[in-house]
Amino acid sequence: MRTHHRMIALAVTGVVALGLTACAGGEADAGDDNVSITLVQGTTALPFAQTTAAGAKAAIAEVGGVHLEVAGPANIDPATEVKIFQQVVSTRPDGILLQELPPDLFTRPVQDAEDAGITVLPYTIAPASDSSSTIFVGDNGFDIGRMGADAVADALIAQHGSEDITGKIPTGICVPGLSVLTSRIDGFRERMAERLPGVEVLEPFDSKSDPAQNFTVWQQAVSANADAVAMMTPCEADVQNLIKIKQDSDATWQLAGFDINDISLQGLRDGVIVGLFPQSSYLHGYVSARLLAESLKNGTDLPKGWVAIEVIPVTAENVEEIAERESSPEAQAAYWKPYIDEIFAADTVATRPLADANK
């Protein structure tokens, strides 16, 4: 395995792009680890990213003999993430766990990394169709969107006492064109058309990734659509802002969320939102890190295809259980252990066709 350095300084055109954190596997000191892996995230600041990193660190500690670095821009910034990835490649780790935000920007950089002998494993966001990647660990955003639509449709039917509902659903997207977000919108729109054909899911507008701008944009959208029956967004900050807007205005439109955080959990407790349909971020980090670490350490091939990770809906019935799960890395590890045991029960992890992850 390649020799790696414990401290790596990465900067991007005068901007400090990341702070690298290190995690040595097992009891060994980082200098004794035989395998080096870097987790490159699309954002390091949001709760889901921190949960993903916690899962990856847990897997690395279990495998042992592996040194893990965590890198990425604090906030979503695709161009900066690409530069960070390329600089990580220049340090020559044995493997990289990569959240491609967005996938089309990483096709060439990933190929360059693999040509340099570095194993790249995409997680959370499925690679582009022209990518050289042959494995993906994550879920299907389209299916997540359909789950959100079912929850909103059920709430609307209960609210109006009928399936004969007409109206519109304004839709915002914080990073236009990002596949992990657009797939949720597409799934939501398709399922809503099946459940409530009289309800129109409007084309998404740019809700802005900056939280302050995002709040203003949504205030304007809500004001301009006073007759809306629901609001739709696949973005974490958007849902947080919409919870506040709905509470402050006593609005009656429906809303589902797709990420777990304290604000959204409280919004679910208070009945402001109808449910959360989050990615299982801890599993994304754990499963991808364990697969890559064991492959590199044992000299075995990674499985080919999509390692599908289950999505656990959060409802009024299980919100306290999920809140307890989210309270610490130890609670996460305990909650997810049965799922992890099932995934790794066989000699080879089960996969589905890679193309199915984008359907």
Side-chain angles (χ1 to χ4, degrees):
M1 300 299 174
R2 283 183 288 275
T3 301
H4 59 278
H5 302 285
R6 185 167 179 80
M7 298 301 294
I8 306 171
L10 299 181
V12 178
T13 320
V15 178
V16 177
L18 69 151
L20 285 170
T21 61
C23 172
E27 298 297 323
D29 178 82
D32 298 327
D33 295 329
N34 297 318
V35 173
S36 60
I37 294 174
T38 300
L39 171 67
V40 178
Q41 301 183 292
T43 168
T44 59
L46 291 177
F48 79 84
Q50 295 162 4
T51 300
T52 301
K57 291 174 183 178
I60 293 302
E62 288 183 24
V63 173
V66 179
H67 180 69
L68 177 70
E69 302 277 2
V70 180
N75 298 311
I76 295 174
D77 185 340
T80 297
E81 189 195 354
V82 170
K83 292 178 181 178
I84 290 172
F85 174 78
Q86 291 171 326
Q87 290 179 330
V88 167
V89 169
S90 73
T91 70
R92 300 297 300 277
D94 296 297
I96 298 175
L97 299 167
L98 176 62
Q99 183 185 42
E100 299 180 342
L101 199 62
D104 59 328
L105 289 185
F106 283 90
T107 299
R108 182 71 253 176
V110 166
Q111 182 66 67
D112 291 342
E114 292 177 340
D115 289 345
I118 300 169
T119 304
V120 180
L121 194 163
Y123 72 92
T124 296
I125 302 175
S129 58
D130 60 348
S131 172
S132 58
S133 297
T134 59
I135 182 174
F136 164 62
V137 175
D139 48 47
N140 183 305
F142 190 84
D143 290 341
I144 289 177
R146 289 177 64 88
M147 295 167 71
D150 273 330
V152 170
D154 289 344
L156 286 171
I157 292 169
Q159 178 183 5
H160 294 274
S162 168
E163 295 184 3
D164 186 20
I165 302 168
T166 59
K168 58 187 177 182
I169 302 180
T171 304
I173 182 170
C174 55
V175 185
L178 183 60
S179 61
V180 70
L181 303 179
T182 59
S183 61
R184 295 177 189 177
I185 294 173
D186 292 343
F188 185 94
R189 176 182 288 110
E190 179 183 274
R191 184 57 174 160
M192 190 60 66
E194 295 169 358
R195 292 288 308 275
L196 299 175
V199 174
E200 180 185 7
V201 179
L202 303 181
E203 288 299 313
F205 57 83
D206 182 358
S207 60
K208 308 299 181 183
S209 59
D210 176 78
Q213 289 182 319
N214 182 275
F215 186 82
T216 299
V217 169
W218 272 112
Q219 278 186 314
Q220 294 169 345
V222 169
S223 177
N225 294 277
D227 57 343
V229 297
M231 299 290 168
M232 164 57 185
T233 175
C235 303
E236 182 167 11
D238 298 49
V239 172
Q240 292 177 323
N241 284 332
L242 280 168
I243 288 171
K244 177 172 175 52
I245 292 169
K246 184 176 180 181
Q247 288 175 317
D248 290 348
S249 63
D250 293 323
T252 59
W253 38 260
Q254 304 296 339
L255 175 67
F258 299 92
D259 296 279
I260 291 181
N261 52 70
D262 290 342
I263 293 174
S264 293
L265 288 172
Q266 191 58 48
L268 183 55
R269 292 186 184 100
D270 295 339
V272 181
I273 58 177
V274 298
L276 298 171
F277 305 91
Q279 297 175 326
S280 301
S281 298
Y282 186 92
L283 282 186
H284 288 202
Y286 180 97
V287 173
S288 59
R290 178 168 165 179
L291 286 172
L292 184 56
E294 290 182 342
S295 170
L296 293 171
K297 189 174 180 181
N298 300 329
T300 55
D301 292 335
L302 285 167
K304 296 185 184 300
W306 169 29
V307 181
I309 302 299
E310 186 173 354
V311 174
I312 309 298
V314 188
T315 65
E317 287 70 33
N318 70 347
V319 63
E320 298 307 333
E321 178 188 11
I322 300 303
E324 171 59 27
R325 182 191 79 189
E326 298 296 306
S327 64
S328 70
E330 293 76 19
Q332 289 267 11
Y335 179 94
W336 291 115
K337 187 179 186 305
Y339 296 87
I340 291 168
D341 290 345
E342 182 178 354
I343 291 170
F344 289 95
D347 292 337
T348 303
V349 170
T351 62
R352 295 166 58 180
L354 190 58
D356 288 355
N358 278 319
K359 289 183 179 179

